Amino acid sequence: MRPDSLIRSACTRRDALASVLALSFGLGIAACAAPTPRPPASGADPLAPLRALCGKAYAGRVVADTPASADDPFAGKSLVMHVRDCRSGEIRIPFQVGEDRSRTWVIDVLADGRLRLKHDHRHRDGSADALTRYGGEQRVGTPAGRYEFPVDAESQALFRRLGREVSLGNVWALEVAPQRFVYELARPGRLFRVEFDLSAPVAAPPPPWGG
């Protein structure tokens, strides 16, 4: 082979190698920049931490409520959560405030293994409140034992329709620890947290309205 042919062949191989390395490096950067959340391992139950509480009820207390309101519906009321209904792929937790049994937290599993939180609000006769079935889908990357649910588009549309634009930035959270369960609502300028003592179960309350 002539010298100039050898040079062209070497350059071609060098350019091909450079292209492969550049492509591989680019793919590596993309993979690092945008990791794909992995669903739970096959057979894992994302609801397992809550399912361990099934059938039990716990008393709670408000630990954060800013800014405080003059007509606070929780002030001076007993607060009880009851992990009442544990179906396959869904758990329903009525949250009783005094004699008010209108609230139920509904947590179910999405196709990708993440959780979704919805709030089911009912009237005393069991009919649905106008403000019901709002919530969001689980945000990935939170610390173990904490589940965050930014408001979803469906809920934002509901809030706009009912004139509750203040709630458009809502992020709800649940925390499950060996001795504590937390329900939280946060948005700019607003924080509400209720903590329940899992070390001391209480008597189960009556069924929720509509339950």
Side-chain angles (χ1 to χ4, degrees):
M1 185 178 289
R2 295 173 52 188
D4 58 343
S5 297
L6 289 172
I7 293 172
R8 284 197 299 273
S9 178
C11 290
T12 299
R13 289 196 299 272
R14 181 199 64 194
D15 292 344
L17 178 60
S19 298
V20 170
L21 290 174
L23 177 60
S24 299
F25 182 74
L27 290 174
I29 291 296
C32 292
T36 301
R38 293 184 179 181
S42 178
D45 181 4
L47 291 171
L50 289 172
R51 205 174 294 283
L53 307 176
C54 281
K56 298 179 180 177
Y58 304 92
R61 62 188 182 93
V62 176
V63 297
D65 188 11
T66 57
S69 59
D71 56 347
D72 182 1
F74 303 95
K77 304 287 181 64
S78 63
L79 308 178
V80 177
M81 61 165 274
H82 181 200
V83 188
R84 183 172 186 267
D85 191 352
C86 298
R87 311 174 187 178
S88 176
E90 180 184 278
I91 289 181
R92 301 177 70 89
I93 306 177
F95 173 40
Q96 185 165 322
V97 179
E99 298 302 316
D100 186 340
R101 293 183 270 137
S102 64
R103 303 170 176 85
T104 299
W105 303 321
V106 182
I107 304 101
D108 64 353
V109 182
L110 300 171
D112 62 4
R114 293 179 304 132
L115 301 181
R116 173 174 55 192
L117 170 68
K118 289 290 184 174
H119 298 72
D120 187 351
H121 287 263
R122 301 276 170 170
H123 296 293
R124 189 179 296 272
D125 64 1
S127 61
D129 191 272
L131 183 62
T132 190
R133 298 299 301 177
Y134 59 86
E137 299 178 358
Q138 181 184 355
R139 172 187 286 161
V140 298
T142 54
R146 180 174 170 87
Y147 308 86
E148 295 181 356
F149 307 90
V151 61
D152 58 25
E154 178 185 29
S155 303
Q156 289 179 328
L158 174 66
F159 292 147
R160 288 191 179 96
R161 189 163 64 249
L162 298 179
R164 297 180 64 93
E165 284 79 2
V166 68
S167 299
L168 295 178
N170 280 5
V171 178
W172 297 274
L174 302 177
E175 294 178 10
V176 186
Q179 302 295 321
R180 184 186 68 175
F181 176 92
V182 173
Y183 170 86
E184 176 185 290
L185 162 65
R187 62 173 176 259
R190 173 71 169 140
L191 176 63
F192 176 76
R193 278 175 66 92
V194 184
E195 290 188 0
F196 298 87
D197 182 3
L198 300 185
S199 69
V202 298
W209 296 340

